[in-house]
Amino acid sequence: MITVDCRDVEHLKHEMAVFVSDWLGMIPSMKLHEFVLSSIDDRPVDFDTAVKAIKEFFASIGETTNYGVLKKNDVIQITYVHGEKSRSPKPTQSMFSCTHCGYVTPYEVLLQTHMKLHYL
């Protein structure tokens, strides 16, 4: 399992979780100020690849110079490198994740419909 602390990047947490989980082929689980990536097939976790995926996410949105990505023990911490955050964060959306396969959607109704497909 990989834990990613997103306290300084709360407004991008959901988009980052989807991007990184797709890039690594892992299942994201959302928490209050962080997300956790779990392996699908119990293969070993490579933190260096996860850090590279997070940096790739920031590159894709043009924010590579504003955030630092550090590995501390078993947690990847993302920090804003220019002191105080200059932008007001956008309101975060709720994201719903399938516990079976990791499908992520912002709509609870779509998740419920998706979950029913697992039991056909």
Side-chain angles (χ1 to χ4, degrees):
M1 276 186 359
I2 299 174
T3 302
V4 181
D5 184 358
C6 299
R7 292 179 197 279
D8 286 358
V9 68
E10 196 73 36
H11 62 288
L12 296 172
K13 179 176 73 171
H14 291 99
E15 291 89 355
M16 184 187 321
V18 171
F19 183 92
V20 172
S21 66
D22 284 346
W23 214 70
L24 298 174
M26 299 181 94
I27 301 171
S29 300
M30 305 308 287
K31 292 188 172 184
L32 186 60
H33 298 292
E34 59 192 25
F35 64 90
V36 177
L37 296 167
S38 303
S39 177
I40 295 173
D41 55 2
D42 295 330
R43 64 185 166 170
V45 176
D46 183 16
F47 280 91
D48 294 331
T49 306
V51 168
K52 186 176 178 182
I54 293 169
K55 287 181 180 180
E56 187 68 29
F57 168 75
F58 284 124
S60 73
I61 61 170
E63 294 283 343
T64 53
T65 59
N66 293 328
Y67 294 98
V69 182
L70 303 169
K71 180 187 175 280
K72 285 186 172 179
N73 299 326
D74 291 336
V75 176
I76 296 174
Q77 186 172 8
I78 301 168
T79 56
Y80 189 71
V81 294
H82 299 294
E84 293 293 318
K85 289 186 249 180
S86 60
R87 291 190 230 169
S88 60
K90 339 183 256 199
T92 58
Q93 298 175 337
S94 297
M95 295 292 277
F96 301 95
S97 176
C98 176
T99 56
H100 298 291
C101 67
Y103 169 76
V104 178
T105 179
Y107 306 106
E108 186 175 11
V109 174
L110 283 178
L111 178 66
Q112 291 171 353
T113 304
H114 169 83
M115 293 282 281
K116 289 177 186 175
L117 294 173
H118 285 288
Y119 298 103
L120 288 178

